[in-house]
Amino acid sequence: MTDLFHLETPSVDALKFMMDAAIELEMEREPSDFLDKVLHYSRDIVGARAGSLYLVDGDELSFLACQNDDLDISQFITVNTEQPHKIARTEKSIAGYASLHGEPLMIQDAHHIDNSAPYSFDPAIDKKSGFHTQTILAMPLRHPKEGVIGVMELINLQIKDTHHWSIGLVRHFAMLSASSIVNLQMEKSLEAAYLETIFRLGVASEYKDDDTYAHVQRIRYTSRIIANEMGCSLHEQQAIFHASAMHDLGKIGIPDNILNKPAHLEADEWEIMKNHATMGAEILKDSDAELLQLCATIAVGHHEHWDGNGYPNGLAGAEIPLEARIVAVADVFDALVNQRAYKKAWPIEDALALIEGESGSHFDPAVVEAFLNRIKEVKQVQQRFLVTT
Ligand code: C2E
Ligand code: SIN
Ligand code: SIN
Ligand code: FE
């Protein structure tokens, strides 16, 4: 039995399989699709009809993938990757046992497990679905440094004699997968920290204004709604959501007495104020990061006008990047319907009238049209993020 768990002379096919799978996994960046692929490849190796995958979360196991070739398993079990179902990580379950011991566990007949074993099989799903679980190979996902990070249950194996290396192979594949999962998790947490930093820096840049957090949130959500209505790709919608947070980054360089002046700006004050567009872009422009470049594009372009009468560069029409044209509408609408040091909040109808009136002069008519088409959701964003100070 134990021999089965050790890879003998690896065949060329086995190596080729591992290479292909590794490359495929390397390209998959979406965590739940990634785990689905890990489970799928592992099942392929041993010809398992079904399987599930758990990741370790403290002293629990999160249920994150489930597959069955013989029936539509989604009728009986749902996998919620946002808020996964969790089971205790103890020796009482097969997955728990294998994850705690860090060794593969082979069960020949799930419905007749020896009474002396600490674990038992829960027949509930079989009863509900009519599926018959026979063999289970519980395979830990073991990382060289992090230890066991998860476990797979591969169900109803059809290993042919000529492929007896396959359990050894799946064991190696599980190790490779564990490394990739840990890398992806680190990448995702770095990415989340990076995106949150952009958001917090955007909030910081508005810190001297009255409502900061709420204002930045409204700009982000409104810009994304417009981008969605304009048919931008999901990637572009997310990019504009994050990058719009920094549109006024340059305001950190504007003196308080100008920024918070509770009155109309004098000509010289206005000249200083207008610098905020360029200053924001100056701070960001040399970055190699695509998202920070978009932040710079939006910072410098959000006060340009469609007819060429905006600042700082007097660009017109499609010379102004689309993202900046979108944020321009979101920004002005938000500035109008909310209070500023220098102005009262306008009624929504008045703000809409101004935006419609300036379609084709200040604003790109296509952006105004998209904005008006989705005004119901834009109003909901205003309600959701009310002034917080
Ligand atoms: P902001 O307050 O975030 O306003 C963004 C944009 O909304 C403005 O860009 C303008 O296009 C529009 N907007 C805001 N309030 C009004 C308004 O009462 N009437 C009209 N027609 N449009 C309005 P803009 O003009 O390029 O201003 C950029 C920034 O300069 C403003 O950002 C604000 O921080 C500052 N600012 C503009 N005017 C004044 C002012 O009279 N006093 C003070 N203290 N600051 C001002
Ligand atoms: C937040 O909204 O606090 C998280 C930051 C982000 O979504 O980028
Ligand atoms: C689009 O797909 O219409 C958006 C293009 C862009 O973001 O530049
Ligand atoms: Fe601005």
Side-chain angles (χ1 to χ4, degrees):
M1 196 57 228
T2 44
D3 281 354
L4 269 186
F5 293 136
H6 290 94
L7 194 61
E8 292 169 12
T9 316
S11 71
V12 172
D13 279 353
L15 288 175
K16 189 174 174 314
F17 177 92
M18 290 278 264
M19 298 289 280
D20 287 349
I23 290 165
E24 177 93 7
L25 285 179
E26 196 51 51
M27 289 187 315
E28 180 60 69
R29 282 4 255 156
E30 206 287 305
S32 62
D33 291 344
F34 190 94
L35 296 179
D36 264 324
K37 283 192 173 154
V38 167
L39 182 58
H40 218 279
Y41 277 119
S42 303
R43 287 176 47 228
D44 266 3
I45 298 171
V46 290
R49 300 300 302 169
S52 42
L53 186 150
Y54 301 81
L55 288 188
V56 172
D57 181 10
D59 48 16
E60 291 180 311
L61 292 173
S62 297
F63 179 64
L64 287 167
C66 180
Q67 296 165 1
N68 192 315
D69 289 343
D70 295 336
L71 74 147
D72 179 8
I73 195 70
S74 64
Q75 290 179 15
F76 307 101
I77 317 174
T78 32
V79 179
N80 181 344
T81 50
E82 297 295 318
Q83 284 171 310
H85 174 68
K86 293 184 182 187
I87 61 169
R89 188 184 174 198
T90 68
E91 289 193 337
K92 287 186 180 161
S93 67
I94 293 164
Y97 185 93
S99 83
L100 286 170
H101 289 265
E103 290 294 324
L105 173 65
M106 185 75 183
I107 311 267
Q108 294 297 347
D109 184 352
H111 292 269
H112 295 95
I113 293 177
D114 199 296
N115 280 335
S116 62
Y119 47 82
S120 61
F121 173 70
D122 177 0
I125 301 294
D126 274 17
K127 275 202 189 115
K128 259 201 284 183
S129 66
F131 183 77
H132 181 79
T133 303
Q134 179 77 30
T135 49
I136 301 176
L137 173 61
M139 182 62 71
L141 293 162
R142 197 159 65 178
H143 185 271
K145 289 208 192 77
E146 307 287 325
V148 175
I149 61 135
V151 59
M152 289 182 286
E153 283 188 353
L154 306 172
I155 295 167
N156 292 1
L157 280 54
Q158 300 166 315
I159 311 170
K160 299 202 183 74
D161 281 349
T162 49
H163 288 117
H164 69 275
W165 46 263
S166 52
I167 291 182
L169 181 56
V170 81
R171 185 180 193 168
H172 282 252
F173 184 69
M175 281 197 278
L176 183 136
S177 301
S179 291
S180 302
I181 290 166
V182 168
N183 287 346
L184 186 62
Q185 284 171 337
M186 272 164 51
E187 200 178 285
K188 289 287 158 192
S189 78
L190 274 176
E191 182 181 296
Y194 164 63
L195 293 176
E196 192 181 327
T197 303
I198 289 177
F199 174 71
R200 288 180 187 276
L201 206 53
V203 172
S205 71
E206 310 258 354
Y207 202 68
K208 294 183 275 183
D209 281 356
D210 280 345
D211 71 312
T212 56
Y213 170 85
H215 168 63
V216 175
Q217 289 290 41
R218 294 189 304 254
I219 297 291
R220 297 203 307 170
Y221 283 88
T222 305
S223 300
R224 185 166 64 183
I225 290 167
I226 299 172
N228 176 275
E229 178 69 16
M230 296 192 77
C232 293
S233 70
L234 266 183
H235 175 80
E236 287 160 348
Q237 293 173 42
Q238 282 310 87
I240 197 169
F241 176 78
H242 291 294
S244 59
M246 295 245 236
H247 71 283
D248 270 343
L249 181 64
K251 279 188 179 173
I252 59 177
I254 304 298
D256 289 15
N257 62 325
I258 297 179
L259 202 56
N260 290 330
K261 185 176 175 182
H264 202 71
L265 299 178
E266 301 302 328
D268 56 335
E269 295 170 326
W270 179 236
E271 286 310 312
I272 293 170
M273 180 49 111
K274 285 197 292 185
N275 287 332
H276 82 277
T278 323
M279 279 193 287
E282 284 294 318
I283 296 168
L284 298 159
K285 72 172 195 268
D286 294 327
S287 172
D288 286 334
E290 195 189 325
L291 191 58
L292 292 189
Q293 282 172 18
L294 181 60
C295 291
T297 298
I298 290 173
V300 72
H302 76 284
H303 289 298
E304 298 289 359
H305 290 192
W306 185 249
D307 63 9
N309 289 323
Y311 64 90
N313 296 316
L315 301 182
E319 286 172 353
I320 311 163
L322 176 67
E323 295 87 343
R325 284 179 261 145
I326 289 174
V327 173
V329 173
D331 182 37
V332 172
F333 177 73
D334 197 66
L336 293 177
V337 300
N338 291 282
Q339 189 185 318
R340 289 281 189 273
Y342 64 95
K343 63 170 279 295
K344 287 202 164 69
W346 290 21
I348 288 208
E349 295 66 36
D350 295 1
L352 292 179
L354 180 137
I355 287 173
E356 278 193 85
E358 296 193 350
S359 172
S361 53
H362 185 163
F363 306 114
D364 174 354
V367 175
V368 171
E369 191 187 329
F371 169 81
L372 295 173
N373 284 347
R374 301 285 285 271
I375 191 62
K376 209 174 141 201
E377 285 155 80
V378 171
K379 286 182 185 173
Q380 284 165 357
V381 169
Q382 290 290 326
Q383 287 305 311
R384 178 165 164 209
F385 301 106
L386 293 169
V387 182
T388 49
T389 47

